[in-house]
Amino acid sequence: AMALSGVRVLELAGLAPAPLCGMILADFGARVVRVDRTPRSAVATDVQGRGKRSLALDLKRPPGAAVLRRLCCQADVLIEPFRHGVMEKLGLGPEVLLQENPRLIYARLTGFGQSGQYAKSAGHDINYLALSGVLSKLGRKDENPYAPVNLLADFAGGGVLCAMGIVTALYERTKSGKGQIIDASMVKGVAYLSSFLWKSQNLGLWNRPRGENLLDSGAPFYETYKTSDGKFMAVGAIEPQFYEQLIKGLGLDSDKLPSQLSFSDWPKMKEKFASIFAQKTQAEWCSIFDGTDACVTPVLSFDEVASHQHNKQRSSFIKNDQEEISPRPAPLLSRTPAVPSFKRDPFIGEHTEEILLEYGFTKQEIAKLYSDKVIEFSVPKANL
């Protein structure tokens, strides 16, 4: 059995962060039901549906809300991704659902959180990143702050930390027998992720303007360099002994170079390193640096990463029955590892009847809900 086997999760369909949270739980064994909106003509936005089943339900109508309330009576976890106040308007707020099921973990995954000036405001990863302070640290010298796609706030500060909160609450429930509400704000989540940045301010790592520090593209030994075939190498030779191996691999003599931490020499050292890296292909640099402690690695594209020898040896990527490649769940547990589903992601409403029967609805109740257009099926059954 996987670590989360037996845990029943209801995930209300939403954008990127909540689907990741649900997929993490599904990968580690939870039975995750994605509650999709109706009508089914709505575009499916969940590309992280691995291991989930789909129930199509109209929550905006009282009979639909009543169905979810009934489902929540038997669920362990509810993941909801709406702005503050939406669930309350539907009569599905935590005070209602926890009254009916005191063991429910009610996870509220939002950008700005359940309170504060922006609680009811729209936003996206870049906005949450900005409000957390983290965005101010990202970017090169003399350039505007730069958001690294939507990985940090949406997925790391949102989906991953929400999943951690759920697992933590499930563990606590084994002792208290009680559920609780999780307020997973992406602003607070990504700020928490940046704890090292806050706590290292007195170490001198961030004393210089953005893009001129050790880890933000200021240093020549913590940078990416273009190779002769238009690819890139990543360099992270921070420690002196690693830097010495970098210098050796580049064919330079450290005695003839400025001190590694001579800030004023960093720009010209960057130019020197760039001109040297540009003289060989990525494969040639790999043959020089692989097996050393120079902290130099190839920058792999999505097309290349699954076939790299290290990743193949670790079985780091999987292929589903649609031949789609994606990362294997992490971290690896020795006794109860995640066993991800290899099936395609569910169609909206594909498992509506199956799920409702499993949660105790009768065939007659399901037929009535279908005829009233409260629920939908991916392929409507003729006998309904």
Side-chain angles (χ1 to χ4, degrees):
M2 284 187 275
L4 297 180
S5 291
V7 175
R8 284 180 153 189
V9 179
L10 299 172
E11 173 203 317
L12 302 188
L15 296 177
L20 174 67
C21 181
M23 189 182 78
I24 291 170
L25 301 179
D27 281 342
F28 283 88
R31 291 178 62 80
V32 180
V33 170
R34 189 182 69 204
V35 181
D36 282 304
R37 296 178 177 87
T38 60
R40 272 196 307 110
S41 57
V43 178
T45 57
D46 182 8
V47 295
Q48 300 166 107
R50 183 170 66 207
K52 303 175 190 176
R53 292 180 296 164
S54 169
L55 180 156
L57 178 64
D58 187 353
L59 290 177
K60 293 183 179 179
R61 296 175 59 195
V67 169
L68 186 69
R69 282 177 64 170
R70 192 163 153 189
L71 294 173
C72 284
C73 287
Q74 297 181 55
D76 296 292
V77 178
L78 174 69
I79 304 170
E80 71 97 350
F82 306 133
R83 273 188 260 176
H84 174 75
V86 171
M87 290 292 278
E88 283 77 2
K89 284 181 184 175
L90 297 172
L92 297 168
E95 68 287 342
V96 174
L97 299 186
L98 282 166
Q99 175 97 29
E100 296 173 351
N101 178 7
R103 291 175 56 81
L104 182 67
I105 309 296
Y106 194 120
R108 317 197 78 170
L109 177 51
T110 61
F112 296 116
Q114 298 301 311
S115 60
Q117 179 184 349
Y118 292 164
K120 295 185 178 181
S121 300
H124 282 292
D125 179 283
I126 195 169
N127 306 115
Y128 314 139
L129 201 57
L131 203 63
S132 73
V134 175
L135 187 55
S136 72
K137 297 289 187 184
L138 306 177
R140 292 185 175 274
K141 180 181 178 181
D142 299 326
E143 292 185 9
N144 295 353
Y146 184 79
V149 294
N150 65 327
L151 283 174
L152 286 182
D154 275 359
F155 297 114
V160 173
L161 282 191
C162 186
M164 185 188 78
I166 289 168
V167 172
T168 303
L170 285 169
Y171 173 72
E172 191 280 335
R173 195 182 70 174
T174 64
K175 295 181 284 185
S176 69
K178 297 178 181 178
Q180 57 185 306
I181 303 161
I182 298 171
D183 180 357
S185 152
M186 291 172 223
V187 174
K188 290 185 75 170
V190 75
Y192 186 39
L193 281 178
S194 73
S195 294
F196 171 76
L197 304 186
W198 287 90
K199 291 177 170 291
S200 64
Q201 289 182 95
N202 294 330
L203 298 180
L205 289 177
W206 315 105
N207 292 350
R208 300 166 68 81
R210 181 177 61 249
E212 296 182 34
N213 298 282
L214 186 71
L215 300 175
D216 64 1
S217 79
F221 49 85
Y222 202 87
E223 179 59 284
T224 57
Y225 292 99
K226 196 170 189 176
T227 56
S228 64
D229 53 347
K231 297 184 178 183
F232 295 89
M233 299 298 289
V235 176
I238 298 173
E239 291 81 356
Q241 67 272 29
F242 301 157
Y243 182 71
E244 186 59 39
Q245 293 205 36
L246 167 66
I247 295 303
K248 181 181 175 183
L250 292 176
L252 296 171
D253 183 347
S254 56
D255 292 335
K256 298 177 181 177
L257 298 174
S259 164
Q260 179 185 359
L261 296 179
S262 175
F263 298 121
S264 60
D265 291 303
W266 279 3
K268 72 177 184 183
M269 288 299 292
K270 267 196 181 190
E271 291 177 10
K272 182 183 286 287
F273 287 3
S275 67
I276 296 173
F277 272 107
Q279 294 169 19
K280 289 182 170 65
T281 65
Q282 186 187 70
E284 288 173 324
W285 285 119
C286 287
S287 69
I288 290 171
F289 286 112
D290 280 1
T292 75
D293 279 343
C295 303
V296 179
T297 47
V299 177
L300 301 176
S301 70
F302 272 28
D303 291 336
E304 299 167 322
V305 68
S307 59
H308 187 275
Q309 197 61 26
H310 177 81
N311 293 328
K312 284 171 66 176
Q313 291 165 350
R314 296 275 300 167
S315 301
S316 297
F317 292 84
I318 57 175
K319 188 181 288 186
N320 69 7
D321 56 14
Q322 306 288 296
E323 296 295 300
E324 297 167 334
I325 295 174
S326 61
R328 184 177 291 278
L332 179 63
L333 305 185
S334 66
R335 199 165 42 77
T336 57
V339 182
S341 170
F342 290 89
K343 296 178 182 176
R344 59 159 174 78
D345 288 0
F347 299 132
I348 290 178
E350 182 174 354
H351 308 95
T352 298
E353 183 178 23
E354 171 189 316
I355 291 163
L356 291 176
L357 287 170
E358 189 179 296
Y359 274 77
F361 287 75
T362 65
K363 289 250 184 189
Q364 292 74 21
E365 286 175 316
I366 295 170
K368 178 75 164 65
L369 290 168
Y370 179 71
S371 65
D372 290 345
K373 294 184 167 52
V374 175
I375 60 173
E376 290 189 3
F377 303 110
S378 181
V379 180
K381 300 290 179 69
N383 63 342
L384 295 176

